[in-house]
Amino acid sequence: MNTFLITFGVFIAFIAAMSVGYIFQKKVVKGSCGGLGAVGVDKVCNCPEPCDARKKREAREALRAEKLAAWENDRIA
């Protein structure tokens, strides 16, 4: 049990030190290597056409955006 408590305390100390450094530097958290775009991959899956699940999700998002735009136009008018 003592080992667990010591390890937990060390982790908490490191997290506290990192947060104090972040607060004082006031820098935005960002990736270090540029992600997949740095190696020439445009999408996560790098497939020529999106899968059916993604097509459905994009269709739902487009429909939701259309409804929101129509609702905002009705509210303004």
Side-chain angles (χ1 to χ4, degrees):
M1 187 68 175
N2 286 339
T3 305
F4 173 76
L5 292 175
I6 292 170
T7 305
F8 185 72
V10 169
F11 276 111
I12 294 298
F14 276 115
I15 291 171
M18 288 188 300
S19 65
V20 167
Y22 171 74
I23 290 169
F24 286 125
Q25 290 181 359
K26 293 185 171 100
K27 289 185 178 178
V28 177
V29 177
K30 59 183 176 180
S32 60
C33 64
L36 293 174
V39 292
V41 177
D42 295 332
K43 299 182 281 182
V44 173
C45 65
N46 204 26
C47 53
E49 188 170 322
C51 62
D52 292 335
R54 183 176 179 129
K55 287 179 184 177
K56 287 179 186 176
R57 185 174 62 241
E58 288 175 351
R60 279 195 317 262
E61 290 172 359
L63 182 62
R64 186 177 301 137
E66 287 176 10
K67 286 182 179 180
L68 180 62
W71 179 79
E72 286 178 350
N73 287 338
D74 288 343
R75 200 179 92 184
I76 293 172

